[in-house]
Amino acid sequence: MSAAASHHITPAVREWIAEQARAGHSPQVLLESMKASGWEEDAAIEVLETVLRDIVEAHARQQALPSANRVPEPALNGAPATLWAHDREVRVVMALRDPRVVVFAGLLSDDECDEIVSLAGARLARSHTVDTTTGASEVNEARTSDGMFFTRGEHAVCARFEARIAALLNWPVENGEGLQVLHYRPGAEYKPHYDYFDPEQPGTPTVLKRGGQRVATVVTYLNTPLRGGGTTFPDVGLEIRPLKGHAVFFSYDRPHPSTRSLHGGAPVLEGEKWVATKWLRVGRFD
Ligand code: PD2
Ligand code: ZN
């Protein structure tokens, strides 16, 4: 066993070394002080090396972390059962602090879900026809889900939905992207990913010119698949069941895995799945 491993490094010793290092004392000076207070030289050296390396690594980690953004947040102080969202009462089903995940019921009525599916489906159907003319098979099994975007406020039902999300999360409508509608067939899934734009990717600065980073997502279920199709958060072993009209909100204050906002769409096992995704930016998405 090494000297450091055999020598338990107490929080007090760690704090003392950190304090001395902050005060600008060299490792040599620290070593002499430790020896003078009865430490064996080998043990003192190994403890110093361990603690100083930890301090340098923690500092580097902190430096590498992108700075935190403001995030949308529902008014959940006092643990209300319901929240008023523009023109409708929405129920709060569950809330998790870290990662920030909140599930709402009744963000859309059944009729509104059906209307959005029908408006989106018409456009998806058209894009399928285009595929057919190019000779591609009509249903491409390798494509996990079909998707389309509405522009903000494109239909009355979109505008109403967007106003609700803005009111519920205290975030300007102007900071939202247009709604995305996804359609999953049986077997389709959305592998775990982050919704923020990776600062390391070369294309990210261009994407950020319009609205800045994404800071939150609202996935609303437009139908109830028979089995499967939940939204998963693998870092915390959480799975949200897809129930028609329910929505899962999650936020991420910086574009970094430390937000634990990794999430995916589990495979649809039976039936199909329709969702509307709303991404919220830190600034105006014009
Ligand atoms: O459909 C979902 O459950 C899901 C899962 C993960 C949707 C998204 N991400 C998304 O649209 O970003
Ligand atoms: Zn996602």
Side-chain angles (χ1 to χ4, degrees):
M1 196 184 285
S2 75
S6 64
H7 211 288
H8 176 61
I9 308 177
T10 64
V13 166
R14 275 189 184 276
E15 191 39 48
W16 178 81
I17 293 171
E19 214 170 86
Q20 299 298 307
R22 274 198 298 274
H25 298 304
S26 69
Q28 191 58 42
V29 168
L30 299 196
L31 179 59
E32 293 309 324
S33 304
M34 288 172 80
K35 278 161 62 184
S37 62
W39 282 74
E40 289 202 359
E41 178 156 346
D42 283 357
I45 288 173
E46 216 165 328
V47 166
L48 276 171
E49 278 178 346
T50 304
V51 175
L52 292 172
R53 193 184 339 103
D54 288 351
I55 291 169
V56 168
E57 279 174 7
H59 187 70
R61 268 198 306 277
Q62 212 168 13
Q63 295 292 100
L65 214 55
S67 55
N69 293 307
R70 256 169 52 80
V71 292
E73 176 67 11
L76 293 183
N77 281 345
T82 63
L83 288 173
W84 187 252
H86 177 62
D87 60 347
R88 197 174 159 83
E89 196 163 69
V90 171
R91 283 162 285 145
V92 182
V93 176
M94 80 110 203
L96 186 66
R97 190 64 260 180
D98 181 21
R100 186 47 152 169
V101 178
V102 182
V103 177
F104 299 105
L107 185 57
L108 291 174
S109 70
D110 281 5
D111 285 351
E112 288 169 330
C113 290
D114 297 344
E115 187 181 351
I116 294 171
V117 166
S118 140
L119 290 167
R123 204 180 288 174
L124 287 175
R126 276 202 296 281
S127 70
H128 271 285
T129 315
V130 174
D131 283 353
T132 317
T133 60
T134 62
S137 71
E138 202 156 352
V139 178
N140 183 352
E141 292 303 335
R143 200 155 130 203
T144 290
S145 65
D146 295 321
M148 57 77 65
F149 276 93
F150 289 113
T151 58
R152 220 168 45 220
E154 184 171 335
H155 299 280
V157 67
C158 298
R160 207 154 63 232
F161 190 13
E162 286 159 349
R164 272 178 212 159
I165 290 173
L168 188 63
L169 303 175
N170 303 295
W171 207 250
V173 166
E174 295 75 26
N175 293 21
E177 296 181 30
L179 285 165
Q180 179 197 232
V181 175
L182 291 177
H183 176 216
Y184 302 76
R185 291 181 173 75
E189 66 181 310
Y190 201 158
K191 294 258 167 61
H193 60 276
Y194 298 99
D195 281 354
Y196 56 71
F197 301 107
D198 183 351
E200 304 297 321
Q201 289 299 312
T204 293
T206 306
V207 178
L208 296 189
K209 280 187 189 149
R210 191 178 175 201
Q213 262 295 355
R214 285 178 176 164
V215 286
T217 307
V218 181
V219 175
T220 305
Y221 307 105
L222 303 175
N223 77 325
T224 304
L226 291 174
R227 288 193 305 122
T231 303
T232 60
F233 292 82
D235 287 351
V236 287
L238 175 66
E239 177 168 343
I240 311 300
R241 284 285 137 75
L243 299 173
K244 188 172 183 175
H246 283 213
V248 54
F249 155 76
F250 52 99
S251 64
Y252 25 95
D253 64 355
R254 44 184 122 223
H256 194 271
S258 62
T259 54
R260 307 208 281 177
S261 62
L262 183 69
H263 65 284
V268 175
L269 301 176
E270 193 180 347
E272 48 180 2
K273 175 185 175 190
W274 289 86
V275 299
T277 301
K278 182 80 175 170
W279 286 295
L280 303 176
R281 300 291 190 103
V282 71
R284 290 176 65 102
F285 185 80
D286 290 319

